[in-house]
Amino acid sequence: MTSLKARKTQLEARLADLKGRMAGIEAELDSHNAPDWEDLATERESDEVLEGMGLSAQQESRMITAALQRIADGTYGLCAKCGAEIGTARLDALPYTPFCRDCAM
Ligand SMILES: [Zn+2]
């Protein structure tokens, strides 16, 4: 079984990675505000893709922050809904999930 400490390290590394990515996306979007774009439609499209990526990164980082809080509280690995233990395999795949497989459905 993966130790809580290893999970924490894993989550913190992922969070740092996401923060770096979000900063990169923001810088990229900012650079698109330059007025001399030749193909605005294409730019707008890629902006939407970038914004979508930014949003999912933001959502994931929020879930990771909440998971780190649960580690601090000692409730990590327990389903936030039914209180059951979340399986190790599920935590391996989704280390920040607050729900067991049944409740996530
Ligand atoms: Zn549950």
Side-chain angles (χ1 to χ4, degrees):
M1 189 177 164
T2 313
S3 75
L4 207 55
K5 204 176 162 200
R7 289 280 184 221
K8 188 166 180 254
T9 307
Q10 186 190 7
L11 285 164
E12 280 169 346
R14 177 76 182 142
L15 189 61
D17 182 53
L18 282 168
K19 280 189 174 154
R21 198 180 313 171
M22 284 189 285
I25 289 169
E26 232 163 81
E28 179 76 17
L29 283 170
D30 280 350
S31 78
H32 286 187
N33 289 330
D36 57 344
W37 288 104
E38 291 180 5
D39 191 346
L40 278 172
T42 308
E43 271 321 311
R44 212 165 293 145
E45 232 167 72
S46 72
D47 274 6
E48 273 169 26
V49 172
L50 277 172
E51 271 161 24
M53 280 163 53
L55 281 179
S56 63
Q58 232 169 47
Q59 200 177 14
E60 192 180 339
S61 74
R62 262 200 301 269
M63 293 190 76
I64 291 174
T65 305
L68 288 168
Q69 184 59 48
R70 287 195 302 279
I71 289 177
D73 292 346
T75 58
Y76 179 79
L78 299 175
C79 176
K81 216 168 179 177
C82 72
E85 236 176 83
I86 302 171
T88 304
R90 182 168 163 75
L91 287 175
D92 281 341
L94 287 169
Y96 49 78
T97 186
F99 301 123
C100 70
R101 199 172 46 198
D102 291 340
C103 293
M105 299 290 235

